[in-house]
């Protein structure tokens, strides 16, 4: 497990609009030999094949196409393209795109992948096979089908109040290659790309991305956030050089505060990484958190270079209910799906664990008479 290292990306002063705060990320040196462009799919739902017999359905508004060069020379971006598909379904019906795998090579130096679906598929596939040992408490459905079907919900960015206005109004810095999106000062998402031109082209896609339940509620219910304003005392300013130094100190202080305080929940924790695809000197990966209950947890995907530096990054903040589900599954798997041992590991009794599983949506995995017994014990204790 390793932490998330944003070396090469520096935070600039934030811009606030209502409950939304955007923190620009800039690069001193763009990654010239990796470029991203958007591939639009329209409003049709997508059927994604993740294996020979496994698939899931999701709203997929766009995919990313990565272009790279093996020799490290600059690669030109294709640019975002709008095209008309003559075989598209009529507007009165719901179209369906078929995507063969989430990361698919389109040419020798080109890879198409579905943003955030790599990370979400990693979360949905968490111990998807179900119990590794057929203990007597588990139902035949759990043994035969595991966690199928597994369903999670998210909100499209256009439904996050204030985000569209913030993205439209705020300026884009000359060397900006990313942004950290906060809602009510809760980190909603991080988005970084290799080159400033890529960011300008992909900036609007933040409205098509997925955001968690917590973020949607914060945007709807929370008041506007306060802006952080730099204050420079004029008592020590005697020249333009003094003023430049004072401004640089304020920028450094903001960057330090942001990285160590506002973004600490993302940057100071270790993640479990899984490589998905290698392309030249770059590696496309996804990562999962250790699922810490009542703490900040993010899943995400990244493209790193041969030195481990982030070239592309996209994160998604899990809701507390999603964290609880991930935590329960992780503890069950760590204890070979033995309910008594898992309950002892969590510091609760077996009936309480069974009721937690039911509350998390996993009640169907337990045999009916076992679950009824846990319910009866729960009523006895509360009575």
């Amino acid at each position: 497990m390793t932490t998330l290292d944003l070396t090469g990306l520096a935070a600039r002063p934030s811009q606030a609009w209502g409950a939304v705060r955007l923190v620009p990320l800039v690069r001193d040196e763009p990654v010239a030999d990796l470029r991203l462009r958007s591939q639009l799919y329209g409003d049709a739902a997508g059927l994604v094949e993740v294996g020979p017999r496994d698939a899931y359905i999701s709203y997929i508004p766009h995919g990313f196409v990565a272009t790279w060069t093996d020799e490290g020379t600059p690669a030109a971006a294709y640019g975002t393209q709008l095209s008309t598909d003559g075989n598209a379904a009529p507007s009165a019906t719901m179209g369906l795109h078929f995507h063969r795998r989430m990361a698919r090579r389109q040419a020798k130096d080109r890879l198409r992948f579905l943003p955030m679906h790599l990370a979400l598929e990693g979360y949905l596939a968490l111990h998807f096979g179900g119990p590794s040992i057929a203990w007597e408490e588990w139902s035949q459905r759990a043994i035969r089908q595991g966690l199928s079907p597994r369903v999670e919900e998210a909100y499209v960015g256009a439904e996050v109040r204030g985000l569209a206005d913030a993205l439209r109004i705020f300026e884009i810095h000359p060397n900006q290659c990313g942004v950290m999106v906060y809602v009510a000062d809760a980190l909603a998402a991080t988005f970084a790309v290799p080159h400033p031109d890529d960011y300008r082209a992909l900036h609007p896609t933040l409205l098509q991305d997925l955001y968690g339940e917590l973020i949607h509620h914060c945007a709807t219910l929370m008041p506007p956030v306060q802006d952080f304003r730099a204050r420079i005392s004029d008592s020590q300013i005697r020249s333009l050089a003094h003023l430049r130094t004072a401004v640089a100190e304020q920028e450094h202080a903001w960057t330090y505060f942001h990285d160590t305080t506002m973004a600490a929940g993302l940057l100071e924790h270790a993640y479990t990484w899984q490589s998905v695809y290698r392309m030249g000197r770059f590696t496309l990966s996804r990562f999962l958190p250790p699922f810490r209950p009542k703490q900040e947890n993010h899943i995400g995907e990244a493209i790193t270079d041969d030195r481990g530096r982030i070239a592309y990054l996209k994160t998604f903040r899990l809701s507390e209910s999603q964290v609880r589900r991930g935590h329960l599954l992780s503890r069950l798997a760590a204890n070979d799906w033995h309910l008594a041992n898992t309950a002892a590991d969590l510091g609760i009794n077996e009936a309480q664990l069974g009721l937690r599983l039911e509350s998390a949506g996993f009640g169907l995995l337990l045999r009916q008479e076992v679950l009824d017994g846990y319910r009866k014990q729960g009523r006895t204790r509360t009575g």
Side-chain angles (χ1 to χ4, degrees):
M1 298 178 69
T2 59
T3 57
L4 196 59
D5 185 5
L6 296 186
T7 300
L9 288 163
R12 289 293 180 259
S14 65
Q15 304 172 89
W17 178 270
V20 177
R21 186 189 304 279
L22 302 183
V23 177
L25 299 176
V26 301
R27 295 186 191 272
D28 290 335
E29 295 183 6
V31 181
D33 53 337
L34 176 71
R35 302 298 298 274
L36 297 180
R37 70 177 178 91
S38 177
Q39 181 170 310
L40 302 183
Y41 297 118
D43 295 330
L47 179 65
V48 184
E49 297 181 5
V50 295
R53 297 183 179 180
D54 298 318
Y56 69 89
I57 295 177
S58 177
Y59 167 64
I60 304 174
H62 64 289
F64 285 165
V65 178
T67 305
W68 69 95
T69 55
D70 293 330
E71 66 275 11
T73 56
Y78 286 88
T80 302
Q81 300 178 5
L82 294 171
S83 61
T84 302
D85 185 0
N87 297 321
S91 58
T93 63
M94 184 178 182
L96 187 66
H97 284 292
F98 289 86
H99 305 279
R100 288 190 294 172
R101 295 190 174 274
M102 292 166 296
R104 179 168 176 251
R105 193 163 185 158
Q106 292 189 329
K108 179 181 178 181
D109 59 350
R110 199 181 313 166
L111 177 75
R112 189 271 297 152
F113 62 98
L114 307 178
M116 274 318 302
H117 286 263
L118 281 173
L120 288 171
E121 193 273 337
Y123 172 75
L124 289 171
L126 187 65
H127 309 299
F128 185 78
S132 54
I133 299 177
W135 303 105
E136 62 179 9
E137 294 88 354
W138 300 107
S139 66
Q140 288 300 312
R141 177 186 180 278
I143 302 300
R144 295 173 181 173
Q145 301 181 29
L147 298 179
S148 179
R150 180 86 182 275
V151 178
E152 294 292 341
E153 295 182 353
Y155 292 87
V156 67
E159 297 295 327
V160 178
R161 184 177 180 180
L163 181 59
D165 290 335
L167 294 173
R168 176 175 54 86
I169 293 173
F170 293 157
E171 64 176 319
I172 297 178
H173 289 244
N175 294 324
Q176 185 169 347
C177 291
V179 67
M180 301 186 82
V181 180
Y182 293 84
V183 178
D185 282 338
L187 179 57
T190 304
F191 177 48
V193 294
H195 196 279
D197 292 345
D198 297 342
Y199 182 79
R200 288 181 177 273
L202 299 174
H203 178 79
T205 64
L206 287 164
L207 286 178
Q208 300 170 313
D209 284 341
L210 301 177
Y211 298 86
E213 178 185 12
L214 170 67
I215 303 308
H216 182 268
H217 288 179
C218 286
T220 305
L221 303 176
M222 299 301 289
V225 295
Q226 294 184 352
D227 200 1
F228 294 114
R229 297 185 179 275
R231 291 178 173 83
I232 299 176
S233 174
D234 58 2
S235 61
Q236 303 296 324
I237 305 301
R238 296 289 184 269
S239 65
L240 287 176
H242 291 164
L243 181 60
R244 292 191 189 96
T245 301
V247 170
E249 290 175 350
Q250 289 292 320
E251 289 183 345
H252 175 74
W254 157 253
T255 301
Y256 179 80
F257 167 75
H258 172 267
D259 293 349
T260 59
T261 303
M262 295 190 66
L266 174 70
L267 302 178
E268 293 185 357
H269 298 284
Y271 297 88
T272 301
W273 292 73
Q274 179 186 12
S275 297
V276 177
Y277 197 93
R278 295 188 182 276
M279 43 190 185
R281 72 185 188 97
F282 299 100
T283 302
L284 175 63
S285 307
R286 62 188 174 202
F287 54 88
L288 291 171
F291 298 107
R292 306 170 303 275
K294 299 182 180 180
Q295 295 187 43
E296 193 172 330
N297 288 261
H298 300 263
I299 62 174
E301 61 200 24
I303 296 178
T304 54
D305 64 11
D306 49 3
R307 289 187 286 179
R309 297 178 302 179
I310 296 289
Y312 159 79
L313 175 67
K314 190 176 283 289
T315 67
F316 176 91
R317 181 165 180 165
L318 297 172
S319 68
E320 185 57 35
S321 59
Q322 290 170 328
V323 173
R324 287 197 299 268
R325 287 193 284 274
H327 180 65
L328 280 173
L329 293 177
S330 297
R331 301 323 305 156
L332 281 167
N335 289 278
D336 292 326
W337 294 77
H338 190 280
L339 288 178
N341 292 345
T342 304
D345 183 23
L346 295 173
I348 57 179
N349 60 46
E350 190 173 334
Q352 289 173 321
L353 174 59
L355 295 178
R356 283 192 185 184
L357 289 171
E358 182 185 27
S359 176
F362 300 140
L364 292 176
L365 299 180
L366 296 169
R367 289 169 51 193
Q368 188 62 48
E369 64 271 22
V370 172
L371 184 57
D372 290 341
Y374 291 155
R375 291 170 180 161
K376 182 177 180 180
Q377 291 184 46
R379 289 193 299 267
T380 302
R381 286 180 176 275
T382 56

